[in-house]
Amino acid sequence: MAVLAVDSSAGTQALNISSVELPAKAEEKLSPSQVRNMKENVLMANEAWGTAGNAVRATAASLYSIKCDVKHGNWTALIESGALSVTRDTAIDLVSAHQSWLRDTDVPDAFLANVSTRTLKKIGNADHKDRAKCIDEIKRREGRGFSEKMAMKIIKPGSISRIKKSPLPENEKINVLNQRIEQLMQKNKELLSENNRLRALVGESAVK
């Protein structure tokens, strides 16, 4: 995939379009400026698509952190409330995928953009061998998509393994603990404020 390069001499960000290869048919009868414009926009579209894949991974990680930090009832209430930008089923699929394989995979972000969350979950539910085959196929297709139908051709009937709940990675543990500390500190402030209010009321009653 083409990348962005920084032109330090000009002090501005320039697009490195030299790595963008267009088919001859796409350039047919176009002026040099039109060809350059097409290459620049191809590059930017590819960069944006890679960002979309990164968003899938980041969303899955955030939802997983929430689920690990609260009780099942709290989690269910959240995903059914409409507070999230994703649906209930999508949230469940992303958490399952993150827990089973997505957080540890080296699949490039851009390759994930064309894979549905349902398919991501099915890949995670497969046994180790079939899961590895699915991941290899996603990489082989290089972002051209990997459908649920493709996954089910690889995943054999009965090739399902239960996902065992594993502990949060250290960095996620720290984030969860920091959030919990902030919540407790806020609760402590509220209790101190309430305590002061009650002391004041008691003092007023004693005067009377």
Side-chain angles (χ1 to χ4, degrees):
M1 181 183 293
V3 295
L4 288 173
V6 176
D7 185 354
S8 57
S9 61
T12 59
Q13 190 179 58
L15 292 172
N16 179 16
I17 62 173
S18 61
S19 58
V20 178
E21 297 181 4
L22 299 175
K25 190 70 175 177
E27 298 184 28
E28 188 176 3
K29 298 181 180 180
L30 296 182
S31 67
S33 63
Q34 286 177 308
V35 172
R36 179 178 178 81
N37 184 60
M38 181 183 288
K39 286 186 175 183
E40 287 179 350
N41 281 289
V42 165
L43 178 60
M44 288 189 288
N46 287 342
E47 290 291 329
W49 198 244
T51 302
N54 177 265
V56 170
R57 200 191 299 267
T59 301
S62 295
L63 292 173
Y64 178 69
S65 292
I66 294 172
K67 187 176 186 297
C68 288
D69 189 46
V70 301
K71 293 181 179 179
H72 179 71
N74 302 110
W75 168 248
T76 300
L78 172 65
I79 62 178
E80 293 179 349
S81 68
L84 294 169
S85 295
V86 298
T87 65
R88 171 187 177 277
D89 289 345
T90 297
I92 291 172
D93 290 346
L94 285 173
V95 167
S96 177
H98 178 83
Q99 182 178 347
S100 59
W101 73 282
L102 198 55
R103 65 182 175 185
D104 300 316
T105 186
D106 61 351
V107 173
D109 292 337
F111 294 4
L112 296 174
N114 264 339
V115 184
S116 72
T117 58
R118 182 179 173 86
T119 303
L120 294 175
K121 178 183 179 181
K122 284 188 176 295
I123 292 171
N125 285 343
D127 66 26
H128 179 73
K129 287 185 178 179
D130 287 348
R131 183 189 306 168
K133 289 178 182 178
C134 288
I135 293 173
D136 287 343
E137 184 63 14
I138 291 174
K139 292 178 181 177
R140 188 188 70 79
R141 294 182 61 78
E142 297 184 333
R144 296 192 301 275
F146 184 73
S147 67
E148 183 180 353
K149 184 177 181 180
M150 292 176 180
M152 297 316 295
K153 284 183 178 179
I154 295 174
I155 301 172
K156 302 177 183 66
S159 173
I160 303 297
S161 60
R162 287 185 175 275
I163 301 174
K164 295 181 179 179
K165 186 172 181 179
S166 56
L168 282 168
E170 288 303 316
N171 63 324
E172 292 186 26
K173 283 183 181 178
I174 293 172
N175 289 334
V176 170
L177 287 173
N178 285 336
Q179 291 173 8
R180 184 60 177 161
I181 289 170
E182 289 180 6
Q183 292 171 356
L184 291 173
M185 289 178 67
Q186 180 60 35
K187 186 65 175 177
N188 186 51
K189 287 181 181 179
E190 293 173 359
L191 290 172
L192 286 173
S193 177
E194 179 65 13
N195 185 49
N196 290 334
R197 188 184 71 81
L198 292 173
R199 282 176 180 272
L201 289 175
V202 171
E204 291 175 3
S205 297
V207 171
K208 291 178 182 180

